[in-house]
Amino acid sequence: MILKNAEFIDGLRKQDPAAAQHLNVCFVPSIWRFVIFRVNRDSHLAEDIVSEAVLALVTAAASEQLIEHPSAWLRTVALRRIQAHFRAAARVQHLV
């Protein structure tokens, strides 16, 4: 079942299983591909970042935050998490 963005976000707010399925089928694979290529194919790191992005989406939806484009929203969150990871890694490398 394909949901429109507003229906999907509303479903997440209501903890609808159809919204969770839609998230896993329609959004997670593309976010995974977006992340895995940006973290040098480190699957553990990619899994952590995708999980953090999905959790942030569910949390934001539950808090009534306006999310018009969930895919772009997830990519932005994932990209910020990737950048934060590499900044932290560079700081640690600098200290070593």
Side-chain angles (χ1 to χ4, degrees):
M1 174 184 206
I2 302 295
L3 300 174
K4 294 180 181 176
N5 289 342
E7 295 171 337
F8 166 63
I9 296 300
D10 190 48
L12 285 179
R13 284 188 184 114
K14 295 176 180 174
Q15 299 180 354
D16 182 6
Q21 181 180 7
H22 183 75
L23 174 63
N24 285 323
V25 170
C26 297
F27 293 107
V28 170
S30 81
I31 295 302
W32 172 262
R33 287 188 303 272
F34 178 82
V35 171
I36 193 75
F37 289 110
R38 286 165 176 78
V39 296
N40 303 319
R41 296 187 185 265
D42 182 338
S43 61
H44 296 291
L45 178 58
E47 184 178 315
D48 288 345
I49 290 171
V50 170
S51 296
E52 289 176 11
V54 168
L55 179 60
L57 177 67
V58 172
T59 303
S63 72
E64 303 287 328
Q65 183 175 339
L66 179 63
I67 301 171
E68 292 184 25
H69 304 286
S71 181
W73 197 95
L74 280 166
R75 285 179 202 267
T76 301
V77 171
L79 183 59
R80 289 178 182 164
R81 298 285 201 265
I82 292 166
Q83 291 168 339
H85 167 77
F86 283 114
R87 275 194 306 269
R91 281 193 300 270
V92 169
Q93 186 65 26
H94 177 71
L95 295 174
V96 174

